[in-house]
């Protein structure tokens, strides 16, 4: 599993606390490595030969994130909701929708709303997540 930390201090604390510990109830040892660093196989009594600068992978202030996707993944609407209503909701603030694709599963319908640019997709995900549509609440995420 991958875990991303907000800053270098919290990443360092997690490594110091968990690296080399045994998983409870098993004979397995926790091994932590920094993403992008080579795997090192160590013997039982060996010591790490290099230190790692955590600030390069966990900056103190998060970098400005710019989305690269132009589609949103949408859930939380009723299976009978017309595609046109969904399109109208997403175009309400002047955003230009390229197309809407609705997958109508009986108990869990979902949709992909595609925009002409990534800024409109990011704005839609930010403003329409948890949007009340009738008796439903939309969940809107940037498609990954």
């Amino acid at each position: 599993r991958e875990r991303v930390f907000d800053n270098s201090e919290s990443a360092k604390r997690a490594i110091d606390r968990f690296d080399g510990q045994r998983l409870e109830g098993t004979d397995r040892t926790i091994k932590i490595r920094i993403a992008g660093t080579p795997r090192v196989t160590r013997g039982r009594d060996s010591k790490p030969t290099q230190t790692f600068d955590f600030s390069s992978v966990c900056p103190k202030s998060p970098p400005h994130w710019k989305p690269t996707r132009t589609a949103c993944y949408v859930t939380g609407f009723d299976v009978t909701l017309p595609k046109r209503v969904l399109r109208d909701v997403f175009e309400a603030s002047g955003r230009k929708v390229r197309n809407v694709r609705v997958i109508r599963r009986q108990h869990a319908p979902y949709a992909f709303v595609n925009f002409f640019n990534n800024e409109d997709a990011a704005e839609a995900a930010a403003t329409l997540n948890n949007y009340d549509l009738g008796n439903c609440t939309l969940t809107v995420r940037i498609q990954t």
Side-chain angles (χ1 to χ4, degrees), residues 15-135:
I15 290 172
D16 291 343
R17 180 173 179 200
F18 295 109
D19 194 28
Q21 297 293 316
R22 291 217 181 265
L23 286 174
E24 188 175 308
T26 71
D27 62 345
R28 298 188 71 182
T29 303
I30 298 172
K31 295 178 185 173
I32 298 175
R33 74 178 188 93
I34 306 299
T37 60
R39 293 180 188 255
V40 177
T41 306
R42 293 185 238 179
R44 175 181 255 174
D45 297 321
S46 69
K47 302 282 184 217
T49 57
Q50 66 183 25
T51 59
F52 187 79
D53 178 18
F54 291 96
S55 62
S56 65
V57 292
C58 302
K60 292 184 192 243
S61 62
H64 176 69
W65 178 74
K66 183 175 181 186
T68 57
R69 299 291 183 146
T70 59
C72 288
Y73 172 75
V74 185
T75 61
F77 56 91
D78 188 73
V79 71
T80 61
L81 183 74
K83 184 191 299 189
R84 185 71 209 166
V85 171
L86 205 53
R87 177 184 278 272
D88 290 346
V89 166
F90 280 84
E91 288 183 334
S93 296
R95 293 178 289 266
K96 299 287 185 189
V97 172
R98 176 176 286 175
N99 63 42
V100 177
R101 191 171 119 219
V102 177
I103 292 78
R104 297 194 185 277
R105 293 192 172 168
Q106 188 60 36
H107 298 290
Y110 59 97
F112 296 101
V113 179
N114 293 289
F115 295 90
F116 285 97
N117 62 59
N118 53 2
E119 289 84 12
D120 284 349
E123 180 191 345
T127 59
L128 294 176
N129 188 40
N130 295 321
Y131 179 80
D132 289 326
L133 183 63
N135 60 348

